């Protein structure tokens, strides 16, 4: 059963809350927090925890509201994930734990609550097609501005973000631009350029869908986010960005009309030539990233034996969410990290969130052909695939923007399926 509206006619609804969540997620640099609260003082996590409490309050106050009768697979997978994390935390509390891991384990539960909170508020709180479209439009705008900030960093070589002083927040100095192959690696407000590239790849499907199918807005508003995100992803000098972009295009291109495919092919060819000419050496750097001798690839493959050794010690619930510290080893693979920290049960539940979100979104497309709502299902699938692929290339749960975006999109997949299912039921004359 889903919560009916999460909406007060005289107050904010779930879309308003998620909008503020997106603003805090993308605008506030990830290293800035309320100093008195320590690691738990991140504004975006605090808002997400409040969202979780709001969701729970509605469930308690309105348990008998009507909703879709089908199983809510995304929400069920999220609950199993929470259960696995709590079981892992309980297990770690019963054994001798290094002092450096105790507070990290506590913070891990807070992060899990925040991530699942925003998933639930999106899943059960966005109940109307028009509100879903409003939310996704806002996300595309934020994504375009986020990409634009990264472009400014790339071309100027200035961090820019380090000059931002937000009242009440203290900066940890962990956000900054990097470099690879002699090129600046922009990060916008993200912790790392790789996180920046992952967020861009997850937002691109929504931007493309609106640019192609929503003609009510000006061409600039429709295509600026697409151009900014695509250029930023290419210039991010990130292997994950190219793999995720390829996955997004492979999923979306077959659904486009021949005219759109021809136009997209022409624009991509011209864009590739323009980048090759305007940014000398970029092509060689990109080729080098995918060469067999890349040290980062070797580092990732060497982590499998370490993960297996930890798995054999505690196979089902791991050693505690967030307790495998970077000081021990940087795995650069969230799935390996998850199997160490929350065991096989936790890893399977995480994969279940991803798989169920993509499945319900693609299956709900059969309920009607109206655009851009019909195409939005495939955009959600492409976003989930891009994010899940990226999780294999870095420790995503250590990066709030990347994991926060993935859980938000997972919730929107469930909301999309419920909205489409409800609309079909009304059309068929069902209550």
């Amino acid at each position: 059963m889903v919560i009916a509206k999460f909406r007060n006619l005289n107050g904010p609804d779930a879309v308003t809350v998620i909008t503020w969540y997106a603003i805090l997620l993308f605008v506030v640099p990830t290293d800035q927090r309320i100093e008195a609260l320590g690691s738990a003082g991140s504004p975006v996590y605090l808002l997400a925890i409040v969202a979780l409490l709001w969701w729970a309050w509605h469930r308690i106050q309105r348990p008998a509201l009507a909703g879709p009768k089908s199983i809510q697979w995304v929400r069920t997978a999220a609950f199993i994930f929470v259960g696995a994390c709590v079981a892992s935390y309980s297990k770690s509390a019963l054994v001798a734990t290094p002092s450096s891991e105790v507070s990290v384990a506590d913070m891990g539960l807070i992060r899990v609550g925040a991530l699942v909170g925003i998933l639930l508020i999106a899943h059960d709180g966005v109940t109307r097609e028009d509100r879903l479209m409003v939310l996704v439009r806002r996300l595309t705008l934020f994504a375009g501005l986020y990409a634009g900030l990264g472009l400014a960093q790339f071309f100027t070589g200035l961090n820019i973000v380090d000059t931002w002083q937000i009242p009440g927040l203290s900066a940890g100095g962990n956000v900054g631009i990097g470099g690879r192959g002699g090129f600046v690696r922009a990060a916008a407000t993200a912790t790392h350029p790789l996180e920046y590239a992952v967020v861009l790849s997850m937002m691109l499907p929504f931007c493309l869908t609106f640019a192609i199918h929503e003609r009510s807005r000006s061409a600039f508003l429709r295509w600026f986010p697409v151009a900014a995100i695509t250029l930023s992803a290419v210039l991010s000098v990130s292997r994950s960005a190219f793999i995720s972009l390829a996955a997004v295009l492979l999923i979306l291109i077959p659904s486009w009309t021949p005219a759109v495919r021809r136009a997209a092919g022409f624009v991509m060819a011209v864009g590739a030539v323009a980048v090759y000419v305007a940014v000398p050496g970029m092509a060689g750097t990109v080729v080098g990233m995918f060469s067999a001798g890349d040290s980062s690839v070797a580092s990732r493959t060497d982590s499998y034996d370490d993960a297996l050794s930890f798995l054999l010690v505690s196979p089902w619930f791991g050693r505690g969410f967030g307790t495998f510290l970077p000081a021990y080893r940087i795995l650069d693979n969230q799935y390996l990290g998850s199997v160490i920290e929350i065991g096989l049960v936790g890893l399977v539940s995480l994969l279940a969130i991803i798989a169920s979100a993509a499945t319900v979104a693609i299956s709900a497309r059969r309920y009607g052909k109206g655009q851009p709502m019909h195409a939005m299902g495939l955009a959600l699938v492409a976003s989930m695939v891009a994010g899940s692929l990226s999780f294999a290339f870095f420790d995503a749960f250590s990066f709030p923007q990347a994991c926060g975006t993935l859980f938000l999109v997972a919730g929107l997949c469930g909301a999309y399926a419920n909205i489409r299912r409800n609309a079909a039921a009304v059309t068929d004359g069902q209550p």
Side-chain angles (χ1 to χ4, degrees):
M1 182 184 297
V2 230
I3 299 166
K5 288 190 177 181
F6 262 100
R7 187 176 184 223
N8 184 326
L9 293 178
N10 297 316
D13 64 356
V15 170
T16 307
V17 173
I18 297 171
T19 299
W20 278 106
Y21 171 84
I23 291 173
L24 293 178
L25 187 65
F26 299 136
V27 175
V28 177
T30 55
D31 68 329
Q32 295 199 14
R33 54 180 55 90
I34 301 172
E35 187 172 5
L37 298 179
S39 299
S42 172
V44 69
Y45 281 150
L46 293 176
L47 178 60
I49 290 294
V50 171
L52 175 62
L53 297 176
W54 188 33
W55 178 89
W57 181 86
H58 270 268
R59 295 293 297 180
I60 294 171
Q61 294 293 319
R62 306 181 182 183
L65 287 175
K69 305 302 181 183
S70 59
I71 298 175
Q72 301 295 296
W73 293 107
V74 178
R75 194 171 65 195
T76 300
F79 287 154
I80 296 173
F81 176 73
V82 171
C85 293
V86 171
S88 177
Y89 177 86
S90 301
K91 178 182 176 297
S92 66
L94 296 175
V95 299
T97 304
S99 58
S100 59
E101 295 181 10
V102 175
S103 61
V104 175
D106 295 339
M107 182 58 199
L109 279 188
I110 295 176
R111 283 191 289 151
V112 169
L115 293 172
V116 173
I118 206 63
L119 182 152
L120 292 173
I121 209 75
H123 186 285
D124 291 345
V126 184
T127 59
R128 296 188 351 232
E129 178 179 333
D130 62 328
R131 296 302 288 163
L132 176 62
M133 291 296 101
V134 166
L135 175 59
V136 178
R137 287 189 197 98
R138 291 173 180 174
L139 291 177
T140 60
L141 174 61
F142 297 156
L145 297 175
Y146 181 79
L149 174 60
L151 289 176
Q153 291 175 331
F154 179 86
F155 288 110
T156 64
L158 302 176
N159 187 15
I160 301 175
V161 176
D162 58 2
T163 63
W164 294 6
Q165 298 295 327
I166 301 177
L169 301 181
S170 299
N174 298 326
V175 174
I177 58 178
R180 172 182 279 178
F183 295 102
V184 171
R185 298 187 72 191
T189 57
T191 306
H192 190 274
L194 180 53
E195 180 182 29
Y196 169 70
V198 169
V199 172
L200 292 178
S201 65
M202 294 186 69
M203 288 292 104
L204 180 60
F206 305 123
C207 299
L208 281 169
T209 297
F210 271 119
I212 293 171
H213 296 288
E214 191 179 53
R215 302 300 178 87
S216 59
R217 295 194 297 174
S218 67
F220 175 79
L221 289 177
R222 289 187 290 122
W223 289 104
F224 166 72
V226 174
I229 289 175
T230 304
L231 182 58
S232 297
V234 171
L235 298 180
S236 66
V237 201
S238 170
R239 183 186 300 102
S240 301
F242 284 96
I243 293 174
S244 298
L245 285 178
V248 167
L249 294 177
L250 286 174
I251 292 172
L252 295 183
I253 286 178
S255 69
W256 296 345
T257 63
V260 172
R261 286 198 291 266
R262 288 193 296 270
F266 174 77
V267 171
M268 285 189 289
V270 172
V273 172
V275 170
Y276 179 81
V277 173
V279 189
M282 177 62 72
T285 301
V286 171
V287 172
M289 289 191 301
F290 291 93
S291 65
D294 191 280
S295 59
S296 62
V297 175
S299 173
R300 288 177 171 91
T301 55
D302 290 343
S303 300
Y304 291 115
D305 291 338
D306 294 333
L308 180 60
S309 63
F310 279 99
L311 178 63
L312 294 175
V313 173
S314 184
W316 300 113
F317 295 106
R319 66 195 311 276
F321 184 85
T323 59
F324 192 75
L325 304 178
Y328 302 157
R329 182 180 177 87
I330 298 177
L331 298 171
D332 278 333
N333 186 323
Q334 183 55 56
Y335 300 116
L336 290 182
S338 294
V339 81
I340 292 174
E341 294 181 344
I342 49 181
L344 291 173
V345 176
L347 175 62
V348 170
S349 63
L350 174 61
L351 294 174
I353 292 175
I354 295 169
S356 60
T359 301
V360 299
I362 195 68
S363 63
R365 297 181 76 239
R366 68 180 185 270
Y367 300 114
K369 300 293 183 181
Q371 298 292 8
M373 193 64 175
H374 179 68
M376 189 54 59
L378 208 57
L380 287 163
V381 173
S383 181
M384 286 301 301
V385 171
S388 60
L389 284 176
S390 301
F391 271 39
F393 296 99
F394 74 126
D395 302 316
F397 281 141
S398 299
F399 299 88
Q401 289 184 353
C403 58
T405 303
L406 182 81
F407 276 73
L408 172 59
V409 174
L412 292 179
C413 288
Y416 173 83
N418 289 333
I419 292 169
R420 299 284 279 179
R421 218 178 281 125
N422 289 341
V426 171
T427 302
D428 294 340
Q430 301 176 20

